[in-house]
């Protein structure tokens, strides 16, 4: 005994047509993503960059979150090149470990909006009148030579 021919059912035909349209849309999206990927600059860190980052991340001066992230990297869960390429940025641990550098970028943005010259923002120590939202002027710790530490000026190194 044979059942009814489901391919003749208009609901099945409509569903099949929708599926085919979805597949075509997916193919177009994949093609666009591949084209975009081909045009984007590839971010990679040199072995020296990675060694410097890892050395800092393992140091006692690194925040706990960064040391924990480095432990994951050492286990092989991810790499600094993955992070530099933008992968794992939705990972809460990665975001937490990199949060300090984001604050420094916010400060630089505020200074740009305030009209400070880019050369003054980038130079070690920055302009003497630099302010952050709601906090008056920023303090710039000095290094061993007594010079302002430019990493700390922008909220610390991106790797702290």
């Amino acid at each position: 005994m044979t059942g009814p021919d489901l391919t003749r059912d208009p609901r099945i035909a409509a569903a099949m047509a929708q599926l085919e349209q979805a597949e075509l849309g997916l193919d177009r999206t994949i093609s666009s993503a591949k084209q975009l990927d081909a045009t984007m600059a590839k971010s990679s860190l040199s072995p020296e960059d990675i060694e410097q980052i890892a050395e800092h991340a393992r140091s006692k001066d690194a925040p706990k979150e960064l040391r924990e992230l480095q432990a994951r990297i050492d286990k092989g869960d991810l790499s600094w090149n993955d992070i530099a390429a933008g992968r794992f940025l939705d990972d809460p641990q990665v975001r937490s470990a990199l949060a300090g550098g984001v604050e420094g970028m916010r400060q630089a943005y505020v200074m740009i909006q305030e009209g400070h010259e880019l050369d003054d923002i980038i130079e070690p120590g920055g302009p003497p009148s630099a302010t952050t939202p709601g906090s008056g002027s920023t303090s710039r710790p000095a290094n061993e030579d007594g010079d302002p530490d430019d990493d700390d000026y922008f909220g610390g190194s991106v790797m702290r």
Side-chain angles (χ1 to χ4, degrees):
M1 173 167 167
T2 0
D5 184 6
L6 295 178
T7 59
R8 295 186 189 267
D9 185 330
R11 294 175 298 168
I12 299 291
M16 293 297 288
Q18 286 179 329
L19 178 60
E20 188 173 323
Q21 288 301 312
E23 287 174 341
L24 289 172
L26 178 61
D27 289 343
R28 284 191 296 271
T29 301
I30 290 171
S31 176
S32 295
K34 285 180 180 178
Q35 288 174 355
L36 180 61
D37 183 55
T39 63
M40 293 181 67
K42 303 298 181 213
S43 174
S44 73
L45 299 169
S46 72
E48 294 81 20
D49 293 336
I50 291 171
E51 185 55 38
Q52 285 181 335
I53 294 167
E55 183 178 322
H56 172 72
R58 290 182 187 113
S59 76
K60 64 178 176 54
D61 296 331
K64 176 184 170 210
E65 296 85 1
L66 186 57
R67 288 192 311 267
E68 290 171 352
L69 178 60
Q70 182 61 50
R72 277 185 66 194
I73 290 169
D74 291 340
K75 283 188 346 186
D77 293 347
L78 65 159
S79 72
W80 285 114
N81 276 325
D82 289 333
I83 294 168
R87 293 184 292 274
F88 295 98
L89 293 181
D90 58 343
D91 183 303
Q93 187 181 19
V94 172
R95 293 172 66 115
S96 175
L98 301 180
V102 172
E103 181 55 35
M105 294 304 291
R106 281 192 196 111
Q107 291 174 4
Y109 176 76
V110 167
M111 292 172 66
I112 291 168
Q113 296 300 91
E114 290 175 348
H116 295 280
E117 294 292 321
L118 287 176
D119 288 341
D120 293 335
I121 296 168
I122 295 169
E123 283 183 19
S129 62
T131 60
T132 57
S135 68
S137 72
T138 55
S139 66
R140 293 183 298 274
N143 60 21
E144 299 88 39
D145 301 328
D147 296 327
D149 181 348
D150 62 329
D151 282 345
D152 288 337
Y153 173 72
F154 288 118
S157 165
V158 295
M159 301 318 299
R160 287 192 223 174

